[in-house]
Each structure stands twice: as C-alpha cells, then as structure tokens.
Amino acid sequence: VALKRMLNFNVPPVKNSTGEPVWKVLIYDRFGQDIISPLLSVKELRDMGITLHLLLHSDRDAIPDVPAVYFVMPTEENIDRMCQDLRNQLYESYYLNFISAISRSKLEDIANAAIGANAVTQVAKVFDQYLNFITLEDDMFVLCNQNKELVSYRAINRPDITDTEMETIMDTIVDSLFCFFVTLGAIPIIRCSRGTAAEMVAVKLDKKLRENLRDARNSLFTGDTLGAGQFSFQRPLLVLVDRNIDLATPLHHTWTYQALVHDVLDFHLNRVNLEESSGMESSPAGARPKKKNKKSYDLTASDKFWQKHKGSPFPEVAESVQQELESYRAQEDEVKRLKSIMGIEGEDEGAISMLSDNTAKLTSAVSSLPELLEKKRLIDLHTNVATAVLEHIKSRKLDVYFEYEEKIMSKSTLDKSLLDMISDPDAGTPEDKMRLFLIYYISSAQAPSEIDLEQYKKALTDAGCNLAPLSYIKQWKAFTKMASAPTSYGNTTAKPLGLFSRVMNTGSQFVMEGVKNLVLKQQNLPVTRILDNLMEMKSNPETDDYRYFDPKMLRGSDSSVPRNKNPFQEAIVFVVGGGNYIEYQNLIDYIK
C-alpha cells in the first residue's frame, strides 16, 4: 500500500479512476530495487504508469517531459547523483522519496543543488518513506539484502568487535524495525531477553519510538497513518529473541518445501536461480562442454501451489506436483481443442466459417485458455524446482541427515553411530557433516570427552571439513549460561511413513527410490515456545525475566512488570542474528 501510494506521487491511488495513469519513470538504488521487486511485478508497475525503471547509478538519458519518482537510501553518493540529475535537467519534475529518514544536512545539500541548477520549482515533493525493510510474505519481512552481512549473526558475535561497530549494527537494525512499525502504524509492547544483543535493540528501539511520540507535531504515529485502522484497539507484541538462545535450529537440515529450497538452492528475495542440467547427451570429442543455462523462477504470493505447499514435507510436495501434472494432462486435449476453436493451429477455411456458430464456444475458450496455460506454467516451474531439490536430497542423503538430527535434538536413541555418519563418503558434503556434528555438540548435555572429540575431529578433517566452526561453538558453549540447561526441542521425532505410495508409481516425474517418506510431528521450537509464553502471559522460567518496554508509558519505574494481563492478539517476532524458514514455518503451524 505504501509503495503504491508513493508511486502515485504520495496520494492514495483512486480506485475507480478510468483515466490513463500519469506516465513517469522510477529511479531506484539497489536497496529500493530489493524492496520493490518482491512486491510489485513489472506489469503492476506499468499499470501504475511506470514506463521505465532505472538504477540511480546507471547512465540515464534525459527525458525532459516526464516526472521522475526517486526511491533511494539517503547516502552521500546517492545525494550527489541526484544533485547531478537536477543540474543536468534530466526530468520534468522530481519526487524524491527516501527509504530511511534523511538528515537535515543532506536535505540542505539537495536544496543548494536545486537552487544552483535553478530547479527549485521542479522538485515537487521530498518524502521520508520509512520503508527500510523487505517484505517477502504477507507475514514475513527481512531487514535488508544488500548489506546483510553487516547485520548478520557473525557481525554481532565477532569476538573482536568494537563498541562503535556494535552501535552501528544496532542502529541499522533499529532503523529497519522502526520503519516497520511506522508502516504498520502501531506502537508495539516490546519484550526481550536480558544481557543479549536483543536487549540492546530493545532499549534503542524503545528510545526511538518514545522520542517520536513525544514530538507530537511531527509524530509518525498520529493522524492518518496507513495502518491506523488495523490495530488501533489493540497493540501488537514485539518479541526480540537473540539467535544465541538456539543455534541448533539454523544448522538443522530441513524437510519442508520452502525451507529446503532456501537451504539447498540459490533462493533470494523469493526468486530461485537454477542451473539447468544440459541433459546426458555427450558432446562430440573435443567439443566445448555445453554452457549450463541459468533459469530463474519467482515463487510468489499469487502462485497457489507454492502458497499451499511451501510448508509441506517434501514427499507430499512431489506427490502433489505429480497429481497436478496428471490433472493437467487430462485437460491437455481441452487446450488443443480450445486452440483449434480459436483457429490458432491450422488456419483452414472450415475453422473460420464455423466461427459464427462458435461465438459462444469462443468466449469460453478465450476465458479458460489463459487459466490453463498459467496452470501449466506453475506445474513446469514446480517440477523443475522440486526436481532440483530432489537431486540434492538424493546425492547428499538429506533425508537421513534430517531424521538423524531430529533424533539428536529430541534425545531419542540413535540407530547408528555419529562417527559412521561422518565417515560415510556417500552421505553429504563436508558442510552437511559439520552441521550434523555441531547440532550434536550443541544438544549434548555434557560435551564429549577429549578423546572422543579428537576422534570426531579426525573424522571431520578426513571428510574435508573446516574445523573453525567447531572451535567457535566450543567457546560459545563454555560461555553461555544456556550450557547449564540445554534447550529442549520437545521429544517427538519424524516418523517414516513407509514408502511413497503414488510417487513410487513408475509413471512419476520423481524417482523417489531410497528417499525416506518422513512426516513431521508438530512440536514447538524454542522461538515459538518463547512467543507462546509471552503472548499467552504464561509463567515460565524461560521467559519470566524477559524485559518489558512500553514506549507509550512515561518513564517512572523500570517497567519490567507487564502492565496488561490480557493475552495478545498480534505479535511480531524478530530474531537478532537471523531467523530462518524452519522457525517461520514452525510459527505458522503454531498459529494454525
């Protein structure tokens, strides 16, 4: 909503205006591009009158009779380039939108450039959009994509980090979270764990929200904010969790579709990039090997199959793709028939003379053909994506890893020794083995003895693993108080369901032989449990000492005592140091 409003020159788009949109160009930087691309397709941009969308730092030609909408971060180099655009008189008028608030001094730089270029009247509007976060789902956002290593777990937990670096990281995170709540139009009640980076974020965010509320004239949370109607009667809970409370889950191999795509394929901002294998045909001797084609697919909210199955266990997904394919094949003749009615194939006189009687049929063909072709496109897309995932599962034995790790995390008895798993040359990449061992190390109540550890280390080294992560986790485990009580992951494990029924049929696209048909049992991961305690106001040692911030309350006492005793209806969970799709899926299952 906020983006559409911005592209409409910062006035809400009128629903029923039949007129042509105002044609305009959109100029963004990489940050702006990342925010817009998961939300608006090129077609939607065109419908809003965007004829061209260009990167700010590319060579752009002057288009003197067109207004330009800018959507960029207020950085020094971006501002310089915008001033240059003003001087070169590239566009008819300029609507400047900053992703994050621009400082007074930089605003003055633009003003000076505009005066110098005699272009003051052309700068139509300057807006702080407070959109410095990326929405990937209706219920999920990430802070950033460009500089994500700057706010990563590693950046925050580096042993040699300086105080100023830490401040910068915290400010970056807080800026994005602040933008998120401005866009939501709600002031949260904040809970966080003590003595962690999450607490630093909470303190800063609380302060920033307070300062904004206190400045009544310029507060972003009064009057006609976008989301005012949505949450006005009840405020959301913001749970700030520190990644260190549970390091096993992000290392855990996974079994649901979306999480697998993210783990094994190149999946960023809802787009998956696949290398198409060029088939098995051997090229003639001496010929250059064929170049692999790169294909990219968008997995979006409008993709019904994705929406329905992104949280399903992989075998179910394979089965559903197969079903969709069969139901489409049944309709394929229909597609041919519709095409021939429309005279798309074989333009013989007969087809055309029959057109008059066929008008009724024709209208139905025109309406149902695109739908069927879209269905075909989605089936092809998911066949390719699922096949790529399956290749990883089979070549790396990911089903075995997943099941074994589930057993470790739920303290079940293990059917084969960890050492065998690590030494098996056919199972997994060095990284898979390292992840498995780290989960074992993190989850074990007492660390393995030095003699055992040496044996594991040797096996890991022989398997080609880099042991640096292990030394970090070793220190981490020694430091954290969590070491006294390892996180519990519930005591359920994945149950094999026997072999795949349908997918094992010979006609299937997916050769699933040897892959275990594992189903998931619902169990709450630590992040979900923490949310549950805080939302439902349950008393629990895990969360009882969480701090409580209410930016709307006056600072009288340390208000770590929750004021309201009612359960919350809405919550936002943010993991400082990075959440992941396993936890996202777990939260969604919990809500259901």
Side-chain angles (χ1 to χ4, degrees):
V1 172
L3 284 174
K4 286 184 169 171
R5 177 160 156 174
M6 172 186 89
L7 294 176
N8 202 38
F9 304 124
N10 287 300
V11 288
V14 185
K15 278 287 184 294
N16 49 11
S17 57
T18 44
E20 287 274 279
V22 181
W23 299 111
K24 47 193 168 295
V25 293
L26 169 64
I27 313 289
Y28 47 41
D29 59 0
R30 294 256 177 245
F31 289 90
Q33 186 179 29
D34 287 344
I35 292 167
I36 292 173
S37 70
L39 290 171
L40 298 170
S41 65
V42 175
K43 181 187 176 306
E44 288 171 291
L45 289 176
R46 190 158 304 127
D47 292 344
M48 299 208 59
I50 305 288
T51 50
L52 269 177
H53 40 97
L54 304 162
L55 280 165
L56 176 65
H57 294 283
S58 59
D59 290 327
R60 289 173 281 113
D61 298 327
I63 314 178
D65 49 354
V66 170
V69 175
Y70 286 74
F71 184 50
V72 297
M73 287 293 265
T75 61
E76 203 69 54
E77 47 182 347
N78 282 354
I79 306 266
D80 289 349
R81 187 64 191 259
M82 290 160 94
C83 295
Q84 195 182 317
D85 287 356
L86 290 172
R87 284 194 286 277
N88 297 343
Q89 300 186 343
L90 286 191
Y91 307 109
E92 175 198 61
S93 54
Y94 303 84
Y95 293 79
L96 310 182
N97 296 280
F98 296 102
I99 296 172
S100 191
I102 183 172
S103 66
R104 175 83 201 208
S105 63
K106 287 188 178 136
L107 206 51
E108 286 168 2
D109 295 344
I110 297 179
N112 289 331
I115 291 167
N118 205 357
V120 176
T121 49
Q122 279 127 307
V123 180
K125 292 183 180 175
V126 181
F127 268 85
D128 286 334
Q129 288 293 348
Y130 294 100
L131 289 175
N132 191 13
F133 59 95
I134 299 174
T135 311
L136 295 179
E137 309 265 350
D138 288 347
D139 50 13
M140 186 176 74
F141 70 101
V142 292
L143 299 188
C144 58
N145 179 52
Q146 289 300 318
N147 298 359
K148 52 177 179 245
E149 64 287 344
L150 298 180
V151 291
S152 65
Y153 176 84
R154 181 176 174 276
I156 299 170
N157 292 280
R158 271 199 0 249
D160 55 348
I161 188 167
T162 64
D163 287 355
T164 41
E165 286 174 313
M166 192 65 169
E167 286 290 311
T168 312
I169 295 173
M170 295 297 124
D171 288 338
T172 309
I173 295 177
V174 167
D175 182 64
S176 282
L177 290 174
F178 180 76
C179 288
F180 176 82
F181 286 106
V182 171
T183 306
L184 203 61
I187 302 267
I189 282 171
I190 307 171
R191 303 293 306 266
C192 68
S193 49
R194 291 175 188 269
T196 58
E199 182 177 30
M200 296 165 74
V201 172
V203 170
K204 277 183 179 284
L205 182 61
D206 177 66
K207 179 165 175 277
K208 190 160 181 155
L209 287 165
R210 267 167 201 285
E211 285 169 359
N212 193 271
L213 285 171
R214 205 174 294 130
D215 176 9
R217 254 202 347 222
N218 298 316
S219 172
L220 297 160
F221 293 95
T222 49
D224 56 335
T225 44
L226 292 174
Q230 255 175 320
F231 293 116
S232 44
F233 56 97
Q234 202 187 16
R235 292 165 56 195
L237 167 72
L238 168 64
V239 181
L240 289 168
V241 183
D242 195 275
R243 183 69 275 164
N244 282 314
I245 59 143
D246 167 20
L247 275 183
T249 302
L251 293 166
H252 188 16
H253 286 86
T254 131
W255 200 236
T256 56
Y257 192 25
Q258 184 175 33
L260 271 167
V261 168
H262 182 253
D263 190 1
V264 304
L265 304 178
D266 171 17
F267 180 58
H268 293 289
L269 301 184
N270 295 347
R271 168 169 293 181
V272 63
N273 296 308
L274 289 185
E275 278 194 358
E276 300 219 305
S277 46
S278 49
M280 297 310 287
E281 68 275 3
S282 51
S283 41
R288 275 219 192 102
K290 284 210 180 75
K291 199 173 160 299
K292 283 194 167 177
N293 282 337
K294 274 218 147 92
K295 267 257 160 101
S296 66
Y297 302 103
D298 290 313
L299 298 171
T300 60
S302 57
D303 177 338
K304 293 196 184 67
F305 186 89
W306 178 243
Q307 288 311 317
K308 187 173 169 193
H309 292 293
K310 62 185 184 194
S312 311
F314 186 75
E316 235 173 79
V317 175
E319 203 165 315
S320 305
V321 174
Q322 189 57 31
Q323 281 169 354
E324 291 281 322
L325 194 61
E326 285 163 20
S327 85
Y328 176 75
R329 281 192 182 137
Q331 289 172 304
E332 205 153 29
D333 303 337
E334 179 69 357
V335 173
K336 291 199 179 100
R337 200 178 64 79
L338 292 173
K339 278 185 170 171
S340 71
I341 290 178
M342 295 176 71
I344 299 175
E345 284 153 340
E347 306 288 326
D348 62 329
E349 317 304 283
I352 297 176
S353 64
M354 283 164 58
L355 269 182
S356 50
D357 350 327
N358 266 334
T359 327
K361 279 188 189 161
L362 191 62
T363 17
S364 83
V366 170
S367 58
S368 52
L369 192 62
E371 202 179 306
L372 284 168
L373 293 175
E374 171 62 7
K375 192 173 172 184
K376 173 88 169 84
R377 184 185 74 80
L378 291 179
I379 293 171
D380 289 346
L381 184 158
H382 287 287
T383 305
N384 290 339
V385 172
T387 305
V389 171
L390 181 60
E391 279 170 13
H392 281 276
I393 293 177
K394 286 164 77 164
S395 66
R396 292 160 57 183
K397 298 196 181 170
L398 297 183
D399 49 337
V400 181
Y401 275 91
F402 168 70
E403 189 182 23
Y404 200 83
E405 288 163 359
E406 288 272 300
K407 285 182 177 161
I408 292 176
M409 288 161 82
S410 60
K411 315 258 187 293
S412 318
T413 40
L414 302 173
D415 46 358
K416 67 176 195 182
S417 88
L418 183 63
L419 209 53
D420 292 348
M421 284 279 288
I422 295 171
S423 325
D424 177 356
D426 298 329
T429 60
E431 188 182 84
D432 291 326
K433 296 179 179 189
M434 197 67 205
R435 281 164 64 174
L436 171 68
F437 185 70
L438 291 178
I439 289 172
Y440 164 72
Y441 193 89
I442 291 167
S443 309
S444 55
Q446 55 268 25
S449 68
E450 280 304 311
I451 303 164
D452 288 351
L453 195 60
E454 282 312 309
Q455 207 180 353
Y456 283 127
K457 274 181 164 171
K458 184 178 179 318
L460 287 164
T461 313
D462 292 347
C465 300
N466 169 3
L467 294 183
L470 180 57
S471 46
Y472 173 79
I473 292 289
K474 235 175 126 170
Q475 280 177 309
W476 171 84
K477 195 158 174 155
F479 275 126
T480 40
K481 353 183 238 299
M482 298 296 288
S484 55
T487 318
S488 97
Y489 293 92
N491 51 357
T492 51
T493 45
K495 298 268 186 289
L497 242 198
L499 287 166
F500 299 96
S501 46
R502 300 195 40 135
V503 185
M504 293 306 285
N505 296 350
T506 42
S508 169
Q509 283 286 313
F510 300 99
V511 188
M512 302 290 277
E513 279 152 298
V515 177
K516 298 185 175 194
N517 190 4
L518 302 166
V519 273
L520 296 165
K521 283 185 67 177
Q522 174 55 29
Q523 59 190 43
N524 288 341
L525 292 172
V527 170
T528 308
R529 275 209 312 277
I530 290 168
L531 173 75
D532 180 50
N533 293 340
L534 296 172
M535 259 190 112
E536 304 297 332
M537 299 288 171
K538 296 178 181 169
S539 173
N540 187 307
E542 206 174 4
T543 48
D544 281 348
D545 70 332
Y546 268 51
R547 287 189 63 180
Y548 178 96
F549 295 89
D550 181 347
K552 282 190 174 176
M553 295 299 283
L554 288 168
R555 267 287 145 79
S557 53
D558 173 38
S559 53
S560 57
V561 186
R563 286 279 193 291
N564 67 337
K565 291 282 181 269
N566 300 336
F568 287 89
Q569 298 303 311
E570 266 105 16
I572 293 101
V573 180
F574 183 78
V575 183
V576 179
N580 55 60
Y581 281 109
I582 306 183
E583 287 166 330
Y584 168 62
Q585 196 50 52
N586 194 251
L587 284 164
I588 289 184
D589 294 340
Y590 156 77
I591 295 159
K592 282 183 189 157

